[in-house]
Short mmCIF file of all heavy atoms in Angstrom, two decimals:
data_model
loop_
_atom_site.label_atom_id
_atom_site.label_comp_id
_atom_site.label_asym_id
_atom_site.label_seq_id
_atom_site.Cartn_x
_atom_site.Cartn_y
_atom_site.Cartn_z
N PHE A 1376 161.78 66.70 -20.46
CA PHE A 1376 161.51 68.11 -20.49
C PHE A 1376 161.90 68.87 -19.21
O PHE A 1376 162.11 70.09 -19.29
CB PHE A 1376 160.05 68.33 -20.73
CG PHE A 1376 159.51 68.02 -22.12
CD1 PHE A 1376 158.25 67.58 -22.27
CD2 PHE A 1376 160.33 68.06 -23.23
CE1 PHE A 1376 157.69 67.27 -23.47
CE2 PHE A 1376 159.87 67.79 -24.47
CZ PHE A 1376 158.50 67.37 -24.59
N PHE A 1377 161.90 68.20 -18.18
CA PHE A 1377 162.04 68.88 -16.79
C PHE A 1377 163.40 68.63 -16.14
O PHE A 1377 163.89 67.57 -16.14
CB PHE A 1377 160.96 68.41 -15.84
CG PHE A 1377 159.58 68.59 -16.47
CD1 PHE A 1377 158.84 67.49 -16.88
CD2 PHE A 1377 158.93 69.90 -16.65
CE1 PHE A 1377 157.57 67.65 -17.48
CE2 PHE A 1377 157.75 70.03 -17.18
CZ PHE A 1377 156.98 68.85 -17.57
N LYS A 1378 163.92 69.77 -15.60
CA LYS A 1378 165.14 69.68 -14.84
C LYS A 1378 164.73 68.94 -13.50
O LYS A 1378 163.59 69.20 -13.00
CB LYS A 1378 165.71 71.01 -14.45
CG LYS A 1378 166.40 71.59 -15.68
CD LYS A 1378 166.98 72.97 -15.23
CE LYS A 1378 167.83 73.53 -16.43
NZ LYS A 1378 169.28 73.36 -16.27
N LEU A 1379 165.60 68.17 -12.89
CA LEU A 1379 165.30 67.53 -11.72
C LEU A 1379 165.42 68.49 -10.58
O LEU A 1379 166.53 69.22 -10.46
CB LEU A 1379 166.22 66.29 -11.44
CG LEU A 1379 165.86 65.40 -10.29
CD1 LEU A 1379 164.45 64.77 -10.51
CD2 LEU A 1379 166.91 64.24 -10.19
N ALA A 1380 164.50 68.66 -9.66
CA ALA A 1380 164.57 69.65 -8.62
C ALA A 1380 165.66 69.14 -7.70
O ALA A 1380 165.95 67.97 -7.47
CB ALA A 1380 163.19 69.67 -7.85
N PRO A 1381 166.42 70.08 -7.08
CA PRO A 1381 167.48 69.77 -6.20
C PRO A 1381 167.13 68.90 -5.02
O PRO A 1381 167.94 68.04 -4.57
CB PRO A 1381 168.01 71.06 -5.69
CG PRO A 1381 167.55 72.11 -6.67
CD PRO A 1381 166.30 71.56 -7.32
N ASP A 1382 165.88 69.04 -4.56
CA ASP A 1382 165.41 68.21 -3.43
C ASP A 1382 164.78 66.94 -3.89
O ASP A 1382 164.29 66.13 -3.09
CB ASP A 1382 164.49 68.97 -2.62
CG ASP A 1382 163.16 69.42 -3.31
OD1 ASP A 1382 163.05 69.13 -4.49
OD2 ASP A 1382 162.29 70.05 -2.68
N GLY A 1383 164.75 66.67 -5.24
CA GLY A 1383 164.18 65.49 -5.76
C GLY A 1383 162.55 65.58 -5.94
O GLY A 1383 161.99 64.65 -6.35
N GLY A 1384 162.06 66.71 -5.50
CA GLY A 1384 160.59 66.89 -5.49
C GLY A 1384 160.08 67.03 -6.95
O GLY A 1384 160.86 67.15 -7.94
N ASN A 1385 158.74 67.08 -7.14
CA ASN A 1385 158.13 67.27 -8.39
C ASN A 1385 158.39 66.24 -9.39
O ASN A 1385 158.61 66.51 -10.55
CB ASN A 1385 158.42 68.69 -8.94
CG ASN A 1385 157.55 69.15 -9.98
OD1 ASN A 1385 156.30 68.61 -10.05
ND2 ASN A 1385 157.92 69.96 -10.85
N THR A 1386 158.65 64.99 -8.92
CA THR A 1386 158.87 63.88 -9.86
C THR A 1386 157.77 62.86 -9.66
O THR A 1386 157.06 62.89 -8.72
CB THR A 1386 160.22 63.24 -9.61
OG1 THR A 1386 160.21 62.72 -8.23
CG2 THR A 1386 161.36 64.12 -9.83
N ASN A 1387 157.66 62.00 -10.72
CA ASN A 1387 156.65 60.96 -10.67
C ASN A 1387 157.04 59.82 -9.66
O ASN A 1387 158.20 59.65 -9.53
CB ASN A 1387 156.50 60.36 -12.07
CG ASN A 1387 156.15 61.44 -13.07
OD1 ASN A 1387 155.00 62.05 -12.94
ND2 ASN A 1387 157.01 61.80 -13.97
N ALA A 1388 156.14 59.19 -9.20
CA ALA A 1388 156.38 58.03 -8.28
C ALA A 1388 157.13 56.95 -8.90
O ALA A 1388 157.93 56.27 -8.33
CB ALA A 1388 155.07 57.55 -7.64
N LEU A 1389 156.84 56.66 -10.23
CA LEU A 1389 157.47 55.53 -10.92
C LEU A 1389 158.76 56.00 -11.53
O LEU A 1389 158.86 56.96 -12.19
CB LEU A 1389 156.57 55.00 -12.01
CG LEU A 1389 155.23 54.37 -11.55
CD1 LEU A 1389 154.44 54.08 -12.75
CD2 LEU A 1389 155.57 53.14 -10.68
N ASP A 1390 159.88 55.27 -11.26
CA ASP A 1390 161.20 55.62 -11.80
C ASP A 1390 161.21 55.73 -13.32
O ASP A 1390 161.81 56.59 -13.84
CB ASP A 1390 162.23 54.59 -11.40
CG ASP A 1390 162.62 54.73 -9.94
OD1 ASP A 1390 162.50 55.78 -9.36
OD2 ASP A 1390 163.12 53.68 -9.35
N ALA A 1391 160.48 54.81 -14.01
CA ALA A 1391 160.48 54.89 -15.54
C ALA A 1391 159.92 56.26 -15.96
O ALA A 1391 160.45 56.79 -16.98
CB ALA A 1391 159.67 53.71 -16.01
N PHE A 1392 158.90 56.69 -15.33
CA PHE A 1392 158.33 57.96 -15.78
C PHE A 1392 159.22 59.17 -15.38
O PHE A 1392 159.41 60.14 -16.08
CB PHE A 1392 156.91 58.19 -15.17
CG PHE A 1392 155.86 57.23 -15.81
CD1 PHE A 1392 155.20 56.35 -14.97
CD2 PHE A 1392 155.65 57.28 -17.15
CE1 PHE A 1392 154.29 55.48 -15.51
CE2 PHE A 1392 154.70 56.37 -17.67
CZ PHE A 1392 153.98 55.52 -16.89
N THR A 1393 159.80 58.99 -14.28
CA THR A 1393 160.72 60.11 -13.79
C THR A 1393 161.95 60.21 -14.78
O THR A 1393 162.28 61.30 -15.21
CB THR A 1393 161.24 59.77 -12.35
OG1 THR A 1393 160.22 59.73 -11.53
CG2 THR A 1393 162.26 60.86 -11.90
N ILE A 1394 162.52 59.08 -15.21
CA ILE A 1394 163.61 59.05 -16.08
C ILE A 1394 163.16 59.57 -17.49
O ILE A 1394 163.90 60.33 -18.09
CB ILE A 1394 164.19 57.62 -16.18
CG1 ILE A 1394 164.89 57.18 -14.91
CG2 ILE A 1394 165.15 57.57 -17.43
CD1 ILE A 1394 165.26 55.78 -14.86
N ALA A 1395 162.04 59.29 -17.92
CA ALA A 1395 161.55 59.74 -19.18
C ALA A 1395 161.23 61.22 -19.27
O ALA A 1395 161.44 61.91 -20.26
CB ALA A 1395 160.30 58.94 -19.65
N ARG A 1396 160.77 61.75 -18.11
CA ARG A 1396 160.27 63.14 -18.15
C ARG A 1396 161.24 64.10 -17.42
O ARG A 1396 161.11 65.35 -17.69
CB ARG A 1396 158.97 63.23 -17.41
CG ARG A 1396 157.86 62.43 -18.13
CD ARG A 1396 156.55 62.49 -17.47
NE ARG A 1396 155.59 61.67 -18.22
CZ ARG A 1396 154.60 61.07 -17.66
NH1 ARG A 1396 154.39 61.09 -16.45
NH2 ARG A 1396 153.79 60.39 -18.45
N HIS A 1397 162.17 63.65 -16.63
CA HIS A 1397 163.13 64.54 -15.88
C HIS A 1397 164.49 64.22 -16.31
O HIS A 1397 164.82 63.11 -16.57
CB HIS A 1397 162.87 64.41 -14.38
CG HIS A 1397 161.54 64.87 -13.93
ND1 HIS A 1397 160.43 64.10 -13.99
CD2 HIS A 1397 161.10 66.05 -13.38
CE1 HIS A 1397 159.37 64.66 -13.55
NE2 HIS A 1397 159.78 65.91 -13.12
N GLU A 1398 165.43 65.21 -16.19
CA GLU A 1398 166.82 64.99 -16.52
C GLU A 1398 167.51 64.26 -15.41
O GLU A 1398 168.43 64.81 -14.76
CB GLU A 1398 167.43 66.35 -16.78
CG GLU A 1398 166.86 67.05 -18.02
CD GLU A 1398 167.52 68.40 -18.28
OE1 GLU A 1398 168.13 68.98 -17.43
OE2 GLU A 1398 167.37 68.86 -19.43
N VAL A 1399 167.26 63.02 -15.34
CA VAL A 1399 167.84 62.12 -14.30
C VAL A 1399 169.08 61.47 -14.88
O VAL A 1399 170.15 61.47 -14.34
CB VAL A 1399 166.80 61.05 -13.76
CG1 VAL A 1399 167.50 60.10 -12.85
CG2 VAL A 1399 165.65 61.67 -13.15
N LYS A 1400 168.96 60.87 -16.02
CA LYS A 1400 170.01 60.05 -16.69
C LYS A 1400 170.78 60.89 -17.70
O LYS A 1400 171.95 60.62 -18.04
CB LYS A 1400 169.46 58.81 -17.37
CG LYS A 1400 168.76 57.86 -16.41
CD LYS A 1400 169.75 56.96 -15.77
CE LYS A 1400 169.01 55.93 -14.96
NZ LYS A 1400 169.86 55.06 -14.28
N VAL A 1401 170.17 61.91 -18.27
CA VAL A 1401 170.82 62.71 -19.30
C VAL A 1401 170.08 64.08 -19.32
O VAL A 1401 168.96 64.23 -19.00
CB VAL A 1401 170.62 62.04 -20.69
CG1 VAL A 1401 169.24 61.97 -21.16
CG2 VAL A 1401 171.57 62.69 -21.74
N ASP A 1402 170.96 65.14 -19.58
CA ASP A 1402 170.38 66.50 -19.62
C ASP A 1402 170.42 67.01 -21.07
O ASP A 1402 171.01 66.35 -21.95
CB ASP A 1402 171.14 67.36 -18.64
CG ASP A 1402 172.60 67.58 -18.99
OD1 ASP A 1402 173.07 67.31 -20.08
OD2 ASP A 1402 173.36 68.04 -18.03
N LEU A 1403 169.82 68.18 -21.25
CA LEU A 1403 169.71 68.70 -22.64
C LEU A 1403 171.10 68.97 -23.29
O LEU A 1403 171.30 68.57 -24.43
CB LEU A 1403 168.87 70.00 -22.53
CG LEU A 1403 168.59 70.67 -23.89
CD1 LEU A 1403 167.88 69.78 -24.79
CD2 LEU A 1403 167.76 71.97 -23.63
N GLU A 1404 172.04 69.49 -22.58
CA GLU A 1404 173.29 69.76 -23.17
C GLU A 1404 174.04 68.44 -23.53
O GLU A 1404 174.59 68.44 -24.61
CB GLU A 1404 174.23 70.59 -22.23
CG GLU A 1404 175.48 70.99 -22.88
CD GLU A 1404 176.23 72.11 -22.22
OE1 GLU A 1404 176.03 72.35 -21.02
OE2 GLU A 1404 177.03 72.78 -22.92
N THR A 1405 173.95 67.44 -22.75
CA THR A 1405 174.55 66.19 -23.07
C THR A 1405 173.91 65.60 -24.35
O THR A 1405 174.67 65.02 -25.27
CB THR A 1405 174.46 65.13 -21.91
OG1 THR A 1405 175.03 65.71 -20.83
CG2 THR A 1405 175.07 63.83 -22.27
N ILE A 1406 172.68 65.72 -24.51
CA ILE A 1406 171.95 65.22 -25.70
C ILE A 1406 172.52 65.98 -26.92
O ILE A 1406 172.83 65.36 -27.96
CB ILE A 1406 170.41 65.40 -25.68
CG1 ILE A 1406 169.90 64.36 -24.59
CG2 ILE A 1406 169.80 65.27 -26.97
CD1 ILE A 1406 168.48 64.68 -24.19
N ILE A 1407 172.58 67.28 -26.88
CA ILE A 1407 173.15 68.15 -27.90
C ILE A 1407 174.59 67.75 -28.24
O ILE A 1407 175.00 67.57 -29.45
CB ILE A 1407 172.91 69.62 -27.65
CG1 ILE A 1407 171.48 69.93 -27.63
CG2 ILE A 1407 173.74 70.49 -28.61
CD1 ILE A 1407 171.12 71.29 -27.00
N VAL A 1408 175.47 67.60 -27.23
CA VAL A 1408 176.82 67.25 -27.45
C VAL A 1408 177.02 65.92 -28.15
O VAL A 1408 177.77 65.73 -29.06
CB VAL A 1408 177.62 67.23 -26.09
CG1 VAL A 1408 178.99 66.62 -26.22
CG2 VAL A 1408 177.78 68.68 -25.51
N GLN A 1409 176.21 64.91 -27.67
CA GLN A 1409 176.32 63.60 -28.23
C GLN A 1409 175.75 63.61 -29.66
O GLN A 1409 176.31 62.87 -30.55
CB GLN A 1409 175.59 62.53 -27.40
CG GLN A 1409 176.24 62.36 -26.07
CD GLN A 1409 177.74 61.99 -26.13
OE1 GLN A 1409 178.11 61.24 -27.01
NE2 GLN A 1409 178.52 62.61 -25.27
N ALA A 1410 174.73 64.37 -29.92
CA ALA A 1410 174.22 64.51 -31.29
C ALA A 1410 175.28 65.08 -32.18
O ALA A 1410 175.48 64.61 -33.31
CB ALA A 1410 172.94 65.30 -31.35
N LYS A 1411 175.97 66.10 -31.72
CA LYS A 1411 177.03 66.76 -32.48
C LYS A 1411 178.12 65.75 -32.83
O LYS A 1411 178.61 65.74 -34.01
CB LYS A 1411 177.63 67.90 -31.71
CG LYS A 1411 178.55 68.72 -32.42
CD LYS A 1411 177.97 69.55 -33.49
CE LYS A 1411 179.03 70.53 -34.01
NZ LYS A 1411 178.42 71.32 -35.10
N ARG A 1412 178.45 64.88 -31.92
CA ARG A 1412 179.46 63.88 -32.18
C ARG A 1412 179.14 62.94 -33.22
O ARG A 1412 179.95 62.45 -34.07
CB ARG A 1412 179.85 63.05 -30.92
CG ARG A 1412 180.60 63.68 -29.93
CD ARG A 1412 180.81 62.82 -28.75
NE ARG A 1412 182.14 62.96 -28.16
CZ ARG A 1412 182.43 62.44 -27.01
NH1 ARG A 1412 181.58 61.64 -26.35
NH2 ARG A 1412 183.62 62.64 -26.44
N LEU A 1413 177.87 62.46 -33.26
CA LEU A 1413 177.40 61.42 -34.18
C LEU A 1413 176.84 61.91 -35.52
O LEU A 1413 176.89 61.16 -36.47
CB LEU A 1413 176.27 60.59 -33.53
CG LEU A 1413 176.68 59.82 -32.22
CD1 LEU A 1413 175.47 59.19 -31.58
CD2 LEU A 1413 177.70 58.80 -32.61
N LEU A 1414 176.43 63.18 -35.61
CA LEU A 1414 175.89 63.62 -36.85
C LEU A 1414 176.90 63.90 -37.99
O LEU A 1414 178.00 64.34 -37.72
CB LEU A 1414 175.11 64.89 -36.63
CG LEU A 1414 173.73 64.81 -35.97
CD1 LEU A 1414 173.18 66.12 -35.63
CD2 LEU A 1414 172.75 64.06 -36.99
N SER A 1415 176.48 63.53 -39.22
CA SER A 1415 177.35 63.81 -40.33
C SER A 1415 177.44 65.33 -40.57
O SER A 1415 176.75 66.08 -39.98
CB SER A 1415 176.72 63.13 -41.56
OG SER A 1415 175.52 63.57 -41.83
N THR A 1416 178.34 65.77 -41.51
CA THR A 1416 178.54 67.15 -41.68
C THR A 1416 177.27 67.94 -41.96
O THR A 1416 177.05 68.98 -41.45
CB THR A 1416 179.50 67.38 -42.85
OG1 THR A 1416 180.72 66.66 -42.52
CG2 THR A 1416 179.79 68.81 -43.10
N LEU A 1417 176.37 67.43 -42.76
CA LEU A 1417 175.08 68.14 -42.99
C LEU A 1417 173.97 67.45 -42.25
O LEU A 1417 172.76 67.56 -42.66
CB LEU A 1417 174.79 68.16 -44.50
CG LEU A 1417 175.83 68.93 -45.33
CD1 LEU A 1417 175.54 68.83 -46.86
CD2 LEU A 1417 175.88 70.38 -44.89
N GLY A 1418 174.26 66.70 -41.22
CA GLY A 1418 173.21 65.99 -40.44
C GLY A 1418 172.28 66.92 -39.73
O GLY A 1418 172.50 68.11 -39.61
N VAL A 1419 171.09 66.35 -39.37
CA VAL A 1419 170.01 67.10 -38.75
C VAL A 1419 169.72 66.54 -37.39
O VAL A 1419 169.54 65.35 -37.21
CB VAL A 1419 168.81 67.13 -39.70
CG1 VAL A 1419 167.62 67.81 -39.03
CG2 VAL A 1419 169.12 67.85 -41.06
N LEU A 1420 169.47 67.42 -36.49
CA LEU A 1420 168.90 67.06 -35.14
C LEU A 1420 167.56 67.61 -35.12
O LEU A 1420 167.32 68.82 -35.28
CB LEU A 1420 169.75 67.63 -33.99
CG LEU A 1420 169.21 67.53 -32.59
CD1 LEU A 1420 169.00 66.11 -32.17
CD2 LEU A 1420 170.09 68.34 -31.59
N SER A 1421 166.58 66.72 -34.92
CA SER A 1421 165.12 67.19 -34.83
C SER A 1421 164.66 66.83 -33.46
O SER A 1421 164.63 65.63 -33.06
CB SER A 1421 164.35 66.51 -35.93
OG SER A 1421 162.96 66.96 -35.93
N MET A 1422 164.17 67.80 -32.71
CA MET A 1422 163.73 67.57 -31.41
C MET A 1422 162.57 68.37 -31.01
O MET A 1422 162.24 69.37 -31.66
CB MET A 1422 164.88 67.73 -30.33
CG MET A 1422 165.40 69.14 -30.23
SD MET A 1422 166.51 69.53 -28.82
CE MET A 1422 167.18 68.01 -28.51
N ILE A 1423 161.82 68.00 -29.97
CA ILE A 1423 160.72 68.76 -29.44
C ILE A 1423 161.09 69.15 -28.00
O ILE A 1423 161.58 68.34 -27.33
CB ILE A 1423 159.40 67.97 -29.55
CG1 ILE A 1423 158.19 68.85 -29.16
CG2 ILE A 1423 159.43 66.69 -28.81
CD1 ILE A 1423 156.92 68.23 -29.53
N HIS A 1424 160.68 70.33 -27.61
CA HIS A 1424 160.97 70.72 -26.22
C HIS A 1424 159.89 71.68 -25.78
O HIS A 1424 159.10 72.24 -26.57
CB HIS A 1424 162.34 71.29 -26.07
CG HIS A 1424 162.97 70.84 -24.77
ND1 HIS A 1424 162.49 71.22 -23.47
CD2 HIS A 1424 164.04 70.10 -24.45
CE1 HIS A 1424 163.19 70.69 -22.55
NE2 HIS A 1424 164.19 70.07 -23.11
N ARG A 1425 159.87 72.02 -24.54
CA ARG A 1425 158.94 72.95 -23.90
C ARG A 1425 159.28 74.36 -24.25
O ARG A 1425 160.44 74.74 -24.24
CB ARG A 1425 158.87 72.76 -22.41
CG ARG A 1425 158.31 71.42 -22.00
CD ARG A 1425 158.33 71.34 -20.49
NE ARG A 1425 157.55 72.29 -19.79
CZ ARG A 1425 156.24 72.33 -19.58
NH1 ARG A 1425 155.53 71.29 -19.97
NH2 ARG A 1425 155.68 73.34 -18.96
N VAL A 1426 158.26 75.21 -24.50
CA VAL A 1426 158.50 76.60 -24.80
C VAL A 1426 159.14 77.33 -23.62
O VAL A 1426 159.91 78.28 -23.90
CB VAL A 1426 157.12 77.28 -25.27
CG1 VAL A 1426 156.24 77.49 -24.11
CG2 VAL A 1426 157.42 78.51 -26.08
N ASP A 1427 158.89 76.89 -22.44
CA ASP A 1427 159.51 77.61 -21.27
C ASP A 1427 160.98 77.36 -21.16
O ASP A 1427 161.66 78.00 -20.41
CB ASP A 1427 158.76 77.30 -19.98
CG ASP A 1427 158.78 75.93 -19.57
OD1 ASP A 1427 159.18 75.02 -20.33
OD2 ASP A 1427 158.24 75.61 -18.47
N ARG A 1428 161.55 76.44 -21.92
CA ARG A 1428 162.98 76.20 -21.91
C ARG A 1428 163.60 76.58 -23.28
O ARG A 1428 164.76 76.18 -23.56
CB ARG A 1428 163.29 74.71 -21.61
CG ARG A 1428 162.93 74.40 -20.21
CD ARG A 1428 163.37 73.08 -19.65
NE ARG A 1428 164.89 73.02 -19.65
CZ ARG A 1428 165.55 71.86 -19.49
NH1 ARG A 1428 164.89 70.73 -19.32
NH2 ARG A 1428 166.82 71.88 -19.48
N LEU A 1429 162.87 77.35 -24.10
CA LEU A 1429 163.35 77.72 -25.41
C LEU A 1429 164.65 78.50 -25.33
O LEU A 1429 165.58 78.29 -26.09
CB LEU A 1429 162.27 78.54 -26.18
CG LEU A 1429 162.63 78.97 -27.56
CD1 LEU A 1429 162.98 77.77 -28.50
CD2 LEU A 1429 161.47 79.74 -28.15
N GLY A 1430 164.76 79.48 -24.43
CA GLY A 1430 165.91 80.28 -24.28
C GLY A 1430 167.18 79.41 -24.08
O GLY A 1430 168.20 79.53 -24.70
N GLN A 1431 167.01 78.49 -23.09
CA GLN A 1431 168.19 77.56 -22.81
C GLN A 1431 168.47 76.63 -23.99
O GLN A 1431 169.63 76.49 -24.32
CB GLN A 1431 167.82 76.66 -21.62
CG GLN A 1431 168.93 75.69 -21.27
CD GLN A 1431 168.56 74.68 -20.21
OE1 GLN A 1431 167.38 74.43 -20.06
NE2 GLN A 1431 169.57 74.03 -19.62
N LEU A 1432 167.51 76.18 -24.76
CA LEU A 1432 167.66 75.42 -25.88
C LEU A 1432 168.46 76.12 -26.95
O LEU A 1432 169.39 75.70 -27.53
CB LEU A 1432 166.31 74.92 -26.44
CG LEU A 1432 166.33 74.07 -27.75
CD1 LEU A 1432 167.05 72.71 -27.49
CD2 LEU A 1432 164.86 73.81 -28.23
N ILE A 1433 168.08 77.40 -27.22
CA ILE A 1433 168.80 78.18 -28.23
C ILE A 1433 170.29 78.43 -27.80
O ILE A 1433 171.16 78.25 -28.57
CB ILE A 1433 168.08 79.55 -28.44
CG1 ILE A 1433 166.68 79.26 -29.15
CG2 ILE A 1433 168.86 80.49 -29.20
CD1 ILE A 1433 165.78 80.45 -29.28
N VAL A 1434 170.48 78.80 -26.55
CA VAL A 1434 171.86 79.04 -26.09
C VAL A 1434 172.68 77.79 -26.22
O VAL A 1434 173.78 77.83 -26.69
CB VAL A 1434 171.86 79.44 -24.57
CG1 VAL A 1434 173.19 79.41 -23.94
CG2 VAL A 1434 171.23 80.90 -24.40
#
Side-chain angles (χ1 to χ4, degrees):
F1376 289 153
F1377 305 105
K1378 287 181 174 260
L1379 191 60
D1382 63 357
N1385 196 25
T1386 60
N1387 302 294
L1389 296 174
D1390 285 339
F1392 290 119
T1393 299
I1394 291 168
R1396 295 179 181 151
H1397 295 82
E1398 293 182 342
V1399 174
K1400 299 278 186 182
V1401 67
D1402 62 19
L1403 183 57
E1404 185 162 22
T1405 301
I1406 289 168
I1407 292 168
V1408 167
Q1409 294 306 318
K1411 184 72 173 179
R1412 281 180 148 171
L1413 295 174
L1414 281 169
S1415 59
T1416 302
L1417 296 176
V1419 172
L1420 170 62
S1421 182
M1422 64 173 23
I1423 185 167
H1424 218 297
R1425 293 179 56 86
V1426 74
D1427 58 355
R1428 292 192 65 192
L1429 180 59
Q1431 180 189 19
L1432 180 63
I1433 290 170
V1434 166

